[in-house]
């Protein structure tokens, strides 16, 4: 099911990217990132008891940013691949992947389509939320957050956005719950000026 959902989302993203005819005339920014780090962790398995294990971890990261700006299309995307190499406990070596893409396609002067997708596959907490909810032990998990929205400007000050999104969380442990969440939202905006606005979301 997870693979099918990823394929459907990829199709929607490609549809938005390939639909406009002005892509060749746009500006593309491409950036490659690489880093090497060394850390010491006294609790690599996130155990809460006395059975803690320590190790030195080498982290290799390779990333890429690709941004495109055309007459009607904006694309912001990034991909990161991270390899962790453990000095003693080599059975914990792993590769993590993170990818994010956001597209904004102008359908007309007053209408926009916005598509965003964030994917992560990792073996340890990636942010504060993951750290806060981490269950004892080192394990892999997949997380995907997808959003698509239609935005319309009624006047220079008033606009509305109708959106749909879903969140998917899968883990490699059978004793942990997996989750799949669907979201539908409606948002109204009112701009006082170029710096201030008020909005309401349901």
């Amino acid at each position: 099911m997870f693979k099918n959902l990823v394929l459907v989302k990829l199709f929607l993203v490609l549809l938005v990217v390939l639909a406009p005819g002005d892509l060749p005339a746009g500006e593309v920014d491409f950036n490659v990132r690489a880093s090497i780090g060394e850390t010491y962790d006294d609790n690599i398995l996130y155990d809460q008891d006395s059975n803690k294990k320590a190790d030195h971890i080498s982290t290799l990261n390779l990333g890429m940013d690709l941004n495109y700006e055309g007459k009607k299309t904006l694309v912001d995307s990034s991909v990161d691949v991270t390899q962790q190499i453990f000095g003693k406990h080599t059975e914990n070596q792993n590769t993590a992947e993170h990818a994010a893409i956001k597209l904004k396609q102008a359908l007309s002067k007053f209408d926009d389509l916005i598509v965003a997708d964030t994917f992560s596959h990792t073996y340890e907490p990636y942010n504060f939320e993951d750290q806060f909810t981490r269950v004892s032990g080192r394990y892999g998990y997949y997380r995907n957050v997808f959003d698509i929205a239609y935005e319309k400007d009624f006047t220079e000050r008033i606009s509305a956005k109708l959106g749909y999104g879903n969140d998917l969380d899968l883990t490699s442990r059978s004793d942990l719950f997996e989750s799949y969440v669907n979201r539908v939202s409606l948002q109204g905006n009112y701009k006082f000026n170029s710096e201030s606005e008020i909005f309401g979301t349901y």
Side-chain angles (χ1 to χ4, degrees):
M1 182 185 74
F2 179 76
K3 292 182 179 179
N4 292 335
L5 287 170
V6 172
L7 289 176
V8 170
K9 294 170 185 178
L10 180 60
F11 172 77
L12 289 173
V13 169
L14 290 176
L15 183 65
V16 175
V17 173
L18 297 178
D22 66 313
L23 284 177
E27 296 183 3
V28 176
D29 291 327
F30 181 76
N31 181 46
V32 176
R33 296 172 280 103
S35 64
I36 300 175
E38 185 75 20
T39 59
Y40 172 79
D41 192 334
D42 64 351
N43 187 15
I44 62 172
L45 299 181
Y46 303 99
D47 282 335
Q48 304 300 320
D49 52 30
S50 58
N51 188 31
K52 295 181 179 180
K53 295 182 179 180
D55 206 341
H56 290 275
I57 307 171
S58 300
T59 303
L60 312 177
N61 177 263
L62 181 64
M64 178 190 74
D65 299 315
L66 179 63
N67 302 313
Y68 169 81
E69 182 174 356
K71 185 177 179 181
K72 296 182 178 180
T73 308
L74 292 174
V75 180
D76 291 317
S77 62
S78 64
V79 176
D80 284 275
V81 178
T82 303
Q83 174 73 49
Q84 284 191 326
I85 302 173
F86 288 73
K88 294 187 297 183
H89 303 284
T90 57
E91 69 277 5
N92 293 304
Q93 293 182 175
N94 63 82
T95 303
E97 303 87 23
H98 303 279
I101 184 169
K102 182 177 181 181
L103 305 102
K104 185 174 183 180
Q105 173 66 40
L107 304 176
S108 71
K109 184 178 180 180
F110 305 103
D111 303 88
D112 293 310
L113 182 65
I114 303 169
V115 180
D117 192 83
T118 302
F119 169 83
S120 62
H121 166 227
T122 188
Y123 291 83
E124 64 176 24
Y126 183 60
N127 53 36
F128 175 77
E129 179 185 359
D130 297 335
Q131 179 76 50
F132 185 72
T133 59
R134 167 62 59 165
V135 178
S136 179
R138 175 177 288 274
Y139 56 89
Y141 67 91
Y142 295 87
R143 172 169 295 166
N144 198 85
V145 179
F146 174 77
D147 286 285
I148 184 169
Y150 168 72
E151 189 173 37
K152 184 174 184 62
D153 295 328
F154 296 100
T155 68
E156 291 184 356
R157 296 180 181 272
I158 300 175
S159 64
K161 182 190 295 184
L162 177 64
Y164 164 77
N166 65 57
D167 303 339
L168 180 64
D169 287 273
L170 304 175
T171 72
S172 60
R173 286 177 50 169
S174 59
D175 59 326
L176 298 179
F177 289 107
E178 299 176 348
S179 67
Y180 184 72
V181 178
N182 290 289
R183 295 174 276 106
V184 177
S185 62
L186 178 62
Q187 178 175 309
N189 296 63
Y190 180 83
K191 291 185 179 180
F192 295 102
N193 50 53
S194 60
E195 297 180 351
S196 303
E197 68 176 291
I198 187 173
F199 66 91
T201 303
Y202 176 75

